[in-house]
C-alpha cells in the first residue's frame, strides 16, 4: 500500500509512483522507522513474516538443559513475581547450566464470558458471525463444530469453514485467537482475513497440540474475519468470500474458541533465576501456555510477549525460538529475575536460556565497529525481507539529497559532522557514561574520514543515503535484525533520505517541515539524521520499538511522531534553543507491536558492545 508521502517522494526523484509501486516492498514495521503517513499493508507484512519464519533455522545449543517441574500445590501459590519458585543452578556463571526446561500446568480462567455457539451457515466472510472484540485486557469464549454445516462430510464434502467477524473499536488492538479441541478428531487451522478476502495471518497448530493460535492487529474501525477450519489441504477455501469453495473435508469435531485483548486474570506461574549483568535471557513457551513475561528484581515487567518474533533475530542468534510466545531480555545488573508463564489452560513447557553478549565471546580483545556510510553503497536488500524483487541495489550518496534542504555541496561536510557527532553522543559517549557495561567499547567510523572496513569481521554499517525508489523499500529507516546480545556482528541498516529531504507539503517526516529562518538548518539536519541512524543501530544491537506518543521522546521510539524523534522542542522548529537531546532511555515498549513492559534500551545497546575476552 503506497502512502501519499511515499508516492510524492518517488515523483520528486524523477520516477512516477505508477511505475515504481509494483517494485516496492512493504517493510516489517518492527524493523523499520516508517514515515508519519505510512499505511501498513498488513497482508504483505504477514506474508513476509511467514517467509522469514520458514527460512530461519533456529540455532541449537549443545548440552542438556537443567529441568525443573512446577511445585505449586494450590492455585495462587506462585502467581506473582514475589511468590516465584526459585530455580537454582541456572545461569552463565561457573558451574551453572545456561539452559533450562520448565514444565508445569495452568488453570483456566472461569470468569471469561461465554457466547453461545452461532448457527450455520457461516462459511464465508459475508456470512461471518459477529463476535466483536473484547475490551482491552479481557476475553470471551464461544464454541463451534467443524462438520455440522452443508459442506462437511454429511453435506457436499467440500469442507466446513466457520467465519467470525471482529469489529474494531476506537483504537488498534492486538487480538489473540485460540482454539481448544477438548475431544474428538478435529485438528484445527486458524486464519485471519481482511474484508477483501486477503489472508493476514494463519497457523495450523500450537506446538505439540492439535489446537491453534494467532495474533492479529485489529485497527480502529477495521473489520477482521477469523476462520476456523480443519488443518490440511482443504484448510484455506479458494474464495473466502463465497461459501462452499473448500477443496475437501478434513477432520471434524467440536472446538472452543477464545478471543482476548490482553492479559486477563487467569492462573500465572512465576519462576526466579539468577542473572549476571549483561546476561542475554531468552524464553520460549510451548504447549498450552501462550504468554511469557520477564520481571526484574523489583518485580517490574521488563518484557511480556504473546507472540513469536524470533524470526527478526540475527541469523546466527542462539536464542530460543519457535514457541507460542518468545521473549528476550538483557540484564542491566546482577540480580534475581523472574520468568512468568500465563494465558493458558493445561500443560506447558518453557525453554529458558542465558548467554553472554556476542562480542564478549570473541577470542581476541576486539572492539566492534559501527561504520556510517555516506558516499553511496551497493546493498543486497534481500537481507531486509523476502520480497522477490529484492537484490543488489545501488544507493545514492548523501550529497545527492542536499539540494532538497536548500544546501549545496560545500555544506556536505558540516552535515556529516552533525550526523557523526550525534551518533557518537548517543552511542559512544552516553552508553559509556550511563550504562552498566564496564567493558563497553565501540569504534564509530565513517566513509569520509576512514577507509571502508565493510566486509571485515565485527563491522556493522548504517548506509545514510539512497531513496525508496532505489532501494525498493517503503521506509525512512530499516535494520537487518533486532539482535539482543548483538550476535550478528556484521549487519546492515539503511537511513533513506528522499522523504527526509522532500518538500514540507509532501510528508510530515520531511525535515523541511521543521525548518524556518530561525533555524540553524545544518545543525538540525545533522542531529535529526543522526538520531534515526542511532535508532537503526539500536535495532541491530537488540532494542525493540518504544512508545512514540508518551511524554518521553526516546531514540527507540517507533516512527509516526517525527517531532519527537527530531527533538524540535515545544516550538516545533528544529535548530533552535529549545531543541531536545533525544537519547536511549528506559521506556515503555510500543503498545501497538504486541509486547508489554519497560525496555531499557540504553543498557540493551550498551551490552551489545563488549570488548572481547583477553
Amino acid at each position: 500500500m503506497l502512502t501519499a508521502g511515499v508516492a510524492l517522494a518517488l515523483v520528486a526523484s524523477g520516477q512516477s509512483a505508477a511505475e515504481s509501486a509494483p517494485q516496492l516492498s512493504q517493510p516489517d514495521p518492527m524493523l523499520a522507522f516508517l514515515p508519519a503517513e505510512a499505511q501498513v499493508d498488513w497482508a504483505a507484512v504477514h506474508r513476509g513474516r511467514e517467509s522469514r519464519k520458514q527460512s530461519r533455522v533456529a540455532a541449537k545449543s549443545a548440552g542438556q538443559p537443567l529441568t525443573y517441574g512446577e511445585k505449586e500445590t494450590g492455585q495462587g501459590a506462585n502467581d506473582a513475581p514475589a511468590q516465584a519458585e526459585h530455580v537454582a543452578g541456572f545461569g552463565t556463571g561457573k558451574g551453572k547450566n545456561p539452559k533450562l526446561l520448565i514444565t508445569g500446568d495452568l488453570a483456566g480462567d472461569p470468569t471469561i464470558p461465554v457466547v453461545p455457539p452461532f448457527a450455520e451457515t457461516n462459511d464465508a466472510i459475508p456470512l461471518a458471525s459477529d463476535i466483536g472484540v473484547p475490551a482491552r485486557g479481557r476475553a470471551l469464549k464461544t464454541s463451534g463444530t467443524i462438520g455440522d454445516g452443508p459442506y462437511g462430510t454429511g453435506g457436499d464434502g467440500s469442507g466446513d469453514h466457520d467465519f467470525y467477524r471482529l469489529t474494531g473499536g476506537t483504537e488498534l488492538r492486538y487480538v489473540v485467537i485460540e482454539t481448544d479441541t477438548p475431544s474428538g478428531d478435529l485438528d484445527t487451522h486458524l486464519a485471519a482475513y481482511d474484508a477483501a478476502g486477503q489472508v493476514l495471518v494463519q497457523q495450523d497448530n500450537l506446538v505439540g497440540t492439535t489446537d491453534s493460535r494467532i495474533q492479529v492487529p485489529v485497527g480502529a474501525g477495521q473489520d477482521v474475519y477469523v476462520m476456523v477450519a480443519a488443518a490440511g489441504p482443504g484448510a484455506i477455501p479458494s474464495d473466502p468470500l463465497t461459501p462452499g469453495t473448500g477443496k475437501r473435508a478434513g477432520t471434524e469435531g467440536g472446538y472452543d474458541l477464545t478471543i482476548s485483548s490482553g492479559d486477563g486474570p487467569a492462573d500465572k506461574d512465576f519462576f526466579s533465576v539468577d542473572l549476571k549483568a549483561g546476561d542475554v535471557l531468552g524464553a520460549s513457551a510451548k504447549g498450552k501456555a501462550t504468554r511469557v513475561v520477564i520481571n526484574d528484581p523489583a518485580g517490574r515487567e521488563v518484557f511480556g510477549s504473546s507472540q513469536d518474533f524470533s524470526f527478526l533475530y540475527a541469523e546466527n542468534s542462539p536464542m530460543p525460538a519457535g514457541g507460542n510466545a518468545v521473549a528476550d531480555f538483557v540484564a542491566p545488573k546482577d540480580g534475581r529475575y523472574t520468568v512468568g508463564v500465563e494465558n493458558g489452560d493445561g500443560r506447558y513447557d518453557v525453554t529458558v536460556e542465558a548467554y553472554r553478549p556476542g562480542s564478549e565471546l570473541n577470542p581476541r580483545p576486539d572492539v566492534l565497529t559501527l561504520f556510517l556510510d555516506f558516499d553511496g553503497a551497493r546493498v543486497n536488500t534481500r537481507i531486509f525481507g523476502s520480497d522477490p524483487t529484492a537484490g543488489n541495489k545501488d544507493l545514492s550518496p548523501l550529497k545527492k539529497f542536499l539540494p532538497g534542504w536548500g544546501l549545496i555541496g560545500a555544506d556536505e561536510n558540516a552535515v556529516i559532522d552533525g550526523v557523526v557527532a550525534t551518533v557518537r553522543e548517543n552511542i559512544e559517549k552516553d552508553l559509556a557514561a550511563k550504562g552498566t557495561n564496564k567493558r563497553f567499547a565501540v569504534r564509530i567510523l565513517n566513509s569520509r574520514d576512514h577507509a571502508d572496513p565493510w566486509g571485515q569481521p565485527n563491522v556493522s554499517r548504517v548506509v545514510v543515503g539512497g531513496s525508496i525508489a532505489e532501494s525498493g523499500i517503503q521506509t525512512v529507516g530499516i535494520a537487518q535484525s533486532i539482535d539482543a546480545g548483538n550476535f550478528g556482528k556484521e549487519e546492515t541498516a539503511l537511513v533513506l533520505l528522499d522523504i527526509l529531504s522532500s518538500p514540507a507539503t509532501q510528508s510530515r517526516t520531511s525535515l523541511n517541515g521543521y525548518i524556518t529562518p530561525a533555524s540553524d538548518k545544518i545543525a538540525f539536519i545533522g542531529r535529526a539524521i543522526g538520531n534515526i541512524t542511532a535508532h537503526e543501530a539500536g535495532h541491530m544491537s537488540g532494542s525493540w520499538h518504544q512508545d512514540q506518543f508518551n511524554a518521553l521522546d526516546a531514540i527507540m521510539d517507533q516512527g509516526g511522531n517525527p517531532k519527537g524523534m527530531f527533538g524540535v522542542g515545544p516550538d516545533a522548529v528544529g535548530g533552535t534553543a529549545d531543541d531536545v537531546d533525544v537519547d536511549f532511555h528506559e521506556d515503555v515498549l510500543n503498545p501497538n507491536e504486541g509486547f508489554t513492559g519497560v525496555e531499557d534500551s540504553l543498557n540493551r545497546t550498551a551490552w551489545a558492545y563488549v570488548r572481547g575476552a583477553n
Side-chain angles (χ1 to χ4, degrees):
M1 185 178 296
L2 195 64
T3 70
V6 172
L8 290 168
L10 290 170
V11 173
S13 70
Q15 188 172 12
S16 73
E19 292 173 335
S20 299
Q23 302 173 13
L24 298 180
S25 66
Q26 167 66 63
D28 194 305
M30 300 186 87
L31 291 170
F33 184 85
L34 297 177
E37 300 80 12
Q39 299 176 23
V40 177
D41 181 349
W42 283 108
V45 169
H46 286 297
R47 287 195 299 272
R49 288 175 175 176
E50 287 302 314
S51 179
R52 289 183 77 128
K53 287 180 182 179
Q54 296 300 320
S55 63
R56 185 184 189 279
V57 178
K60 303 296 183 183
S61 55
Q64 291 298 313
L66 176 71
T67 59
Y68 182 88
E70 180 193 14
K71 295 177 173 57
E72 184 180 27
T73 56
Q75 186 169 344
N78 62 355
D79 281 16
Q83 302 167 306
E85 300 179 18
H86 181 61
V87 183
F90 171 80
T92 60
K94 185 177 181 179
K96 299 291 185 71
N97 191 332
K99 298 175 64 179
L100 169 65
L101 180 64
I102 300 172
T103 57
D105 285 278
L106 288 171
D109 180 5
T111 69
I112 296 177
V114 177
V115 177
F118 293 88
E120 290 281 357
T121 303
N122 58 354
D123 286 71
I125 287 173
L127 304 175
S129 304
D130 192 353
I131 200 168
V133 175
R136 187 180 294 277
R138 300 302 302 169
L140 59 83
K141 285 186 175 182
T142 191
S143 58
T145 302
I146 296 299
D148 62 341
Y151 308 110
T153 54
D156 68 6
S158 61
D160 189 12
H161 300 80
D162 291 353
F163 280 81
Y164 299 88
R165 185 174 70 186
L166 309 182
T167 300
T170 59
E171 61 180 357
L172 172 67
R173 292 180 187 163
Y174 273 74
V175 179
V176 176
I177 303 101
E178 302 172 66
T179 61
D180 180 52
T181 52
S183 61
D185 298 326
L186 179 63
D187 183 2
T188 59
H189 182 101
L190 272 175
Y193 295 82
D194 63 18
Q198 176 66 58
V199 174
L200 299 175
V201 61
Q202 59 178 312
Q203 185 195 59
D204 278 339
N205 295 124
L206 291 172
V207 178
T209 77
T210 58
D211 305 326
S212 302
R213 175 185 178 275
I214 57 174
Q215 179 167 278
V216 62
V218 180
Q222 177 190 14
D223 286 345
V224 171
Y225 297 84
V226 174
M227 182 202 73
V228 184
I236 298 297
S238 58
D239 180 8
L241 299 173
T242 303
T245 57
K247 299 178 180 67
R248 64 176 182 269
T251 58
E252 294 181 337
Y255 62 86
D256 295 326
L257 185 70
T258 302
I259 298 174
S260 58
S261 292
D263 178 28
D267 186 24
K268 307 174 184 181
D269 294 340
F270 284 88
F271 307 88
S272 65
V273 294
D274 293 327
L275 300 179
K276 299 194 303 179
D279 278 351
V280 186
L281 184 73
S284 173
K286 298 181 180 180
K288 290 295 187 176
T290 60
R291 177 171 159 81
V292 62
V293 298
I294 299 170
N295 292 78
D296 68 10
R300 293 185 314 161
E301 184 178 313
V302 289
F303 204 96
S305 173
S306 299
Q307 55 198 8
D308 174 16
F309 275 97
S310 59
F311 55 87
L312 298 182
Y313 293 167
E315 190 67 27
N316 59 342
S317 172
M319 300 283 279
N324 305 326
V326 174
D328 62 78
F329 173 69
V330 179
K333 60 183 180 180
D334 294 357
R336 183 158 292 182
Y337 295 78
T338 61
V339 177
V341 187
E342 303 176 358
N343 287 14
D345 184 359
R347 193 73 174 168
Y348 63 80
D349 61 78
V350 177
T351 297
V352 182
E353 296 178 0
Y355 297 89
R356 295 305 296 167
S359 57
E360 187 174 292
L361 305 179
N362 284 343
R364 301 186 308 276
D366 293 336
V367 175
L368 297 189
T369 296
L370 180 63
F371 179 62
L372 310 183
D373 195 339
F374 299 103
D375 60 2
R378 175 168 290 180
V379 177
N380 188 335
T381 57
R382 288 191 180 92
I383 62 176
F384 301 113
S386 58
D387 179 57
T389 67
N392 285 327
K393 304 293 178 71
D394 292 317
L395 304 183
S396 296
L398 177 146
K399 65 182 179 182
K400 174 183 175 180
F401 301 91
L402 295 176
W405 297 303
L407 302 178
I408 61 175
D411 298 316
E412 180 184 13
N413 280 335
V415 173
I416 290 175
D417 285 344
V419 176
V420 172
T422 300
V423 175
R424 283 183 169 163
E425 184 265 332
N426 281 322
I427 295 179
E428 193 175 66
K429 297 178 182 178
D430 281 357
L431 302 186
K434 302 175 185 178
T436 60
N437 177 11
K438 303 308 179 185
R439 297 174 59 217
F440 173 83
V442 63
R443 181 186 297 113
I444 297 178
L445 307 180
N446 70 83
S447 57
R448 182 194 62 188
D449 301 327
H450 307 97
D452 189 339
W454 173 245
Q456 298 177 19
N458 300 316
V459 176
S460 288
R461 63 174 173 171
V462 182
V463 177
V464 182
S467 66
I468 290 170
E470 291 172 344
S471 67
I473 305 173
Q474 302 179 77
T475 191
V476 172
I478 190 167
Q480 185 172 342
S481 75
I482 299 173
D483 184 17
N486 201 5
F487 296 99
K489 300 182 289 293
E490 296 91 22
E491 293 195 320
T492 294
L494 306 180
V495 177
L496 305 178
L497 299 179
D498 51 338
I499 288 180
L500 294 175
S501 61
S502 66
T505 55
Q506 293 182 3
S507 173
R508 289 196 294 118
T509 311
S510 169
L511 300 183
N512 289 309
Y514 307 92
I515 295 173
T516 74
S519 301
D520 182 338
K521 181 191 295 188
I522 291 177
F524 168 62
I525 291 170
R527 189 182 69 249
I529 295 175
N531 284 346
I532 300 174
T533 302
H535 175 101
E536 299 308 331
H539 280 319
M540 291 191 294
S541 55
S543 289
W544 302 84
H545 280 145
Q546 295 172 326
D547 188 350
Q548 75 272 41
F549 294 122
N550 64 4
L552 179 62
D553 293 327
I555 284 293
M556 292 314 302
D557 281 358
Q558 188 186 47
N561 181 20
K563 292 171 59 177
M565 180 60 67
F566 298 160
V568 296
D571 67 0
V573 177
T576 58
D578 72 342
D579 284 5
V580 177
D581 179 17
V582 183
D583 292 321
F584 288 98
H585 285 291
E586 188 177 73
D587 197 6
V588 178
L589 283 158
N590 189 280
N592 293 332
E593 292 190 339
F595 295 127
T596 56
V598 176
E599 176 186 62
D600 185 352
S601 66
L602 187 149
N603 276 304
R604 283 177 81 107
T605 309
W607 279 100
Y609 300 105
V610 184
R611 185 181 295 274
N614 289 301

